[in-house]
Amino acid sequence: MPFITTSDGAEIYYTDQGAGQPVILSHGWPLNSDAWQLELKMLADAGFRAIAHDRRGHGRSSQPWQGNDMDTYARDLAELVEALDLHDLILIGHSTGGGEVVRYAARHGGGRVSKIVTAGAVPPIMVKSERNPDGTPIEAFDGIRAGVLADRSQFYQDLSSAFFGANRDGAQVSQGARDDFWRQGMLVGLKAAHDCVKAFSETDFTEDLMALDVPIFIAHGDDDQIVPISDAAQKSIALVKHGTLKVYPGAPHGIAGAYQEELGRDILEFISA
């Protein structure tokens, strides 16, 4: 399996499929690059070089005690890009991965990045504070950490319901998709899973969004129960210079089913233009 070794010794797994203009896909918490299997094939079939990595602590990557924070995630991504010598790069990030690619592009990607796509992404900042009064209260994130520590297996099974909107009338997400969410979650190291909650909820990406100078397509479901659209995409679009926002009616946080099909078509249209 292909790995790079980062400057602090972490081993980062990645998959590399197809040939053409490179596209890197960054996954959400608590998943890994397997979450992008359909998109990897779609992109490679369309003539792109599709690459997805497992964030440190997740999936097949190593589980270092330190570095489970957004600055280090972005640095790891920068070192992967440099190791593969990627240019004219397209970035795609879901949820936590949306924050990772935005921070990478703003702080490391100058001259390398051509376009960005985010879906259900965490920027600009999730947690409620005096500066962000309509954010999600810190108690919600404390509850996630407590659930991970108490019984992570059951917690991931339960979380898959809201993640995919299975708790909504008429939901069509399969049990298999929910089981795969659990499977991927169980591959995350406990320390990484715990620390990443702070990374995705308390990191402020405001300045990163404002610094972006390339086109960005911001996708978000209006029934996202994990990253509410009103405190994420609808704020992010006001901060970027070259942004397009598309709202997917009734779509949940997890990318599956009809939402996945429509988003896939929109991604191809955006990156091929």
Side-chain angles (χ1 to χ4, degrees):
M1 293 191 295
F3 291 85
I4 66 157
T5 301
T6 67
S7 54
D8 69 348
E11 291 191 332
I12 303 297
Y13 166 84
Y14 67 96
T15 181
D16 190 343
Q17 303 180 19
Q21 184 178 6
V23 183
I24 282 188
L25 302 102
S26 181
H27 62 81
W29 179 94
L31 306 176
N32 58 58
S33 59
D34 286 352
W36 291 118
Q37 283 294 318
L38 187 64
E39 288 77 14
L40 287 163
K41 183 178 186 303
M42 175 192 76
L43 290 163
D45 285 346
F48 293 91
R49 180 183 178 185
I51 303 159
H53 63 294
D54 292 356
R55 187 170 298 118
R56 66 168 57 210
H58 297 63
R60 288 141 291 208
S61 291
S62 62
Q63 298 183 7
W65 190 254
Q66 302 297 334
N68 301 299
D69 58 82
M70 199 58 66
D71 286 346
T72 307
Y73 298 156
R75 189 188 70 203
D76 289 347
L77 180 53
E79 294 187 18
L80 174 62
V81 170
E82 291 164 7
L84 299 180
D85 193 26
L86 303 178
H87 298 271
D88 194 21
L89 175 62
I90 297 165
L91 301 169
I92 300 176
H94 172 238
S95 193
T96 300
E100 180 181 291
V101 300
V102 164
R103 177 140 296 183
Y104 163 77
R107 303 194 181 187
H108 304 277
R112 289 187 184 265
V113 176
S114 62
K115 291 183 179 179
I116 303 169
V117 177
T118 65
V122 296
I125 184 169
M126 290 190 70
V127 72
K128 182 178 180 178
S129 66
E130 290 185 4
R131 294 180 58 190
N132 187 39
D134 52 350
T136 302
I138 188 68
E139 289 78 11
F141 304 111
D142 290 341
I144 294 173
R145 282 183 279 260
V148 167
L149 292 176
D151 185 347
R152 63 193 179 103
S153 181
Q154 187 62 51
F155 180 77
Y156 293 142
Q157 289 187 4
D158 295 342
L159 182 62
S160 71
S161 178
F163 188 90
F164 288 112
N167 54 352
R168 300 303 200 209
D169 291 340
Q172 296 182 345
V173 63
S174 70
Q175 185 62 47
R178 295 183 60 182
D179 290 347
D180 196 44
F181 176 91
W182 170 86
R183 178 190 68 84
Q184 292 182 50
M186 292 302 291
L187 294 175
V188 185
L190 185 61
K191 178 69 159 55
H194 181 274
D195 290 359
C196 189
V197 177
K198 181 179 178 67
F200 73 65
S201 64
E202 297 184 40
T203 303
D204 189 342
F205 299 95
T206 300
E207 293 185 3
D208 301 304
L209 291 166
M210 294 173 66
L212 298 178
D213 59 1
V214 298
I216 179 169
F217 180 81
I218 300 172
H220 217 110
D222 69 1
D223 194 30
D224 190 325
Q225 300 172 65
I226 307 298
V227 181
I229 187 172
S230 61
D231 201 41
Q234 290 177 348
K235 290 185 176 180
S236 291
I237 192 61
L239 296 169
V240 297
K241 300 181 183 73
H242 308 291
T244 300
L245 171 63
K246 181 168 180 179
V247 178
Y248 294 77
H253 188 63
I255 302 173
Y259 172 38
Q260 186 171 36
E261 293 177 8
E262 184 176 1
L263 178 61
R265 291 192 296 268
D266 292 338
I267 287 173
L268 285 179
E269 181 179 356
F270 175 72
I271 67 176
S272 299

